Amino acid sequence: VFVTTNKVSAIVDLFHQRLHTIYDERELQNIILLAFHHVMGWDKMTFRQKQDSGLSESELLAFNFMVKRLQKHEPIQYIIGETEFYGLSFQVNSSVLIPRPETEELVELIINDFKEKSIRILDIGSGSGCIAIALKKHLPQATVVALDVSSKAIETAQNNALKNGVEIEFINIDVFSEDILKLQSFDVIVSNPPYISVGEKNQMRSNVLDHEPHVALFVKHSPLEFYERICDLSKSLLLPNGKIYFELNEHYEQDYATLFQKYTSMYTLVKDINSKLRIGKLNF
Ligand SMILES: C[S@@+](CC[C@H](N)C(=O)[O-])C[C@H]1O[C@@H](n2cnc3c(N)ncnc32)[C@H](O)[C@@H]1O
């Protein structure tokens, strides 16, 4: 009997039918490509050419299983177990935030500011390790230390450093603890800290809210608490002429300005091409 349902095109239809209410067309296209890359090892071109090919029983099962998880709003990156950041591959799981493309701009800025220099860098709230690892890869002479309060995140970041062949010192510590003052000083502190207030929870999509770690997203008291703590740490953890680079929440521009002014007059707020606030750079 000629079976048509094992065709690639039938699986593509299945993704559309089951998921079009959750994801828009562009996201869905991307998800389908990632799914076929993961299960079949195909790139975009191969995927286009193979629309009429048949799939084996186990391949069909794998795609069906993925669709079921996607229907529960689980991000494709967690299902596949990896993602790309700054051209590098990172293992991700539910203990770490999925690296965002916006964060690549932060990495890019630091790389351009410190080309070829042997500086000491501290990444606070390292998650998957994406910032620390991309920096070390492009600033090989730098010494990079990364810390996170989550031991599972630290474990994942260590795997990612190994996977990308870079040496980084990882420390499992709370940025609000006093032990952090025992660290040696740094030229650069970088952080993409939690910055979402509980009030913003109801505006978030369930793929983020139900699946990404809340310790990576939400603040306890104020959206500024991590920024304030890290600015305070500048006194004991920054070398002379040191710099802090922050990823910022677009909603708090005036609050950041007021906060940063207390520590230095030499700070810049960087916006992206859509004039959305993205990065804060503080010179001491
Ligand atoms: C927004 S995520 C950023 C992760 C990663 N740097 C990135 O850009 O994808 C914030 C990270 O801060 C960590 N974190 C939360 N509270 C912390 C604390 N008190 N001390 C240290 N790290 C903390 C979380 O575990 C999470 O990995």
Side-chain angles (χ1 to χ4, degrees):
V1 186
F2 184 65
V3 188
T4 52
T5 47
N6 74 339
K7 281 203 180 158
V8 167
S9 55
I11 287 297
V12 173
D13 288 345
L14 180 78
F15 271 78
H16 278 111
Q17 279 161 23
R18 300 276 165 85
L19 302 168
H20 76 273
T21 52
I22 307 178
Y23 298 99
D24 67 32
E25 185 54 31
R26 202 178 52 89
E27 286 173 313
L28 209 46
Q29 284 300 337
N30 190 35
I31 287 171
I32 292 168
L33 284 174
L34 288 169
F36 274 87
H37 183 258
H38 182 67
V39 178
M40 311 298 294
W42 292 350
D43 59 15
K44 201 172 178 174
M45 184 90 114
T46 315
F47 169 74
R48 291 237 170 92
Q49 290 162 348
K50 298 261 193 181
Q51 290 300 301
D52 284 330
S53 309
L55 297 165
S56 73
E57 192 96 356
S58 64
E59 287 158 357
L60 289 174
L61 271 174
F63 284 116
N64 273 292
F65 187 54
M66 276 181 151
V67 169
K68 286 218 169 76
R69 289 175 69 175
L70 287 161
Q71 280 182 298
K72 292 181 189 150
H73 300 242
E74 189 173 349
I76 184 78
Q77 294 89 340
Y78 288 152
I79 299 172
I80 287 172
E82 68 174 13
T83 194
E84 211 187 270
F85 178 85
Y86 214 77
L88 302 168
S89 174
F90 289 84
Q91 177 195 326
V92 289
N93 53 55
S94 56
S95 312
V96 298
L97 189 89
I98 297 165
R100 305 291 201 265
E102 298 91 75
T103 307
E104 293 180 331
E105 291 172 34
L106 184 66
V107 168
E108 176 105 340
L109 185 65
I110 302 174
I111 292 172
N112 287 333
D113 282 355
F114 295 98
K115 269 181 207 139
E116 317 273 314
K117 298 223 173 81
S118 46
I119 50 164
R120 287 178 51 78
I121 303 175
L122 174 65
D123 176 16
I124 296 181
S126 48
S128 62
C130 60
I131 297 175
I133 292 165
L135 286 175
K136 179 66 185 171
K137 198 84 188 172
H138 291 269
L139 300 170
Q141 302 182 57
T143 301
V144 182
V145 178
L147 65 86
D148 204 289
V149 73
S150 154
S151 57
K152 285 190 174 155
I154 289 287
E155 212 176 288
T156 306
Q158 276 168 331
N159 289 340
N160 281 325
L162 211 62
K163 187 178 161 96
N164 285 290
V166 294
E167 216 167 286
I168 288 167
E169 184 188 347
F170 289 102
I171 308 173
N172 186 195
I173 191 175
D174 186 329
V175 71
F176 293 99
S177 78
E178 290 307 305
D179 278 350
I180 198 170
L181 300 170
K182 293 182 188 153
L183 295 178
Q184 253 186 61
S185 300
F186 297 88
D187 300 284
V188 170
I189 296 177
V190 54
S191 186
N192 173 20
Y195 55 53
I196 303 171
S197 65
V198 180
E200 287 177 84
K201 237 183 199 174
N202 53 9
Q203 297 158 28
M204 293 172 71
R205 292 176 63 177
S206 65
N207 58 343
V208 175
L209 201 53
D210 299 343
H211 296 279
E212 297 204 82
H214 284 196
V215 67
L217 299 168
F218 296 109
V219 290
K220 287 202 184 85
H221 311 288
S222 139
L224 282 252
E225 67 196 33
F226 281 88
Y227 299 92
E228 191 163 12
R229 171 63 174 166
I230 293 167
C231 284
D232 277 339
L233 289 174
S234 68
K235 295 183 193 107
S236 34
L237 285 187
L238 266 193
L239 289 162
N241 301 317
K243 291 175 179 53
I244 298 182
Y245 294 80
F246 284 126
E247 181 156 325
L248 303 178
N249 181 332
E250 54 169 326
H251 298 125
Y252 302 105
E253 182 164 348
Q254 196 45 55
D255 300 299
Y256 290 128
T258 310
L259 175 70
F260 297 162
Q261 264 160 24
K262 287 193 209 157
Y263 296 88
T264 173
S265 57
M266 294 182 291
Y267 71 88
T268 341
L269 299 179
V270 183
K271 297 186 177 178
D272 67 12
I273 38 169
N274 303 313
S275 340
K276 202 168 159 182
L277 182 64
R278 283 256 161 269
I279 298 170
K281 176 178 165 184
L282 289 75
N283 291 269
F284 289 84

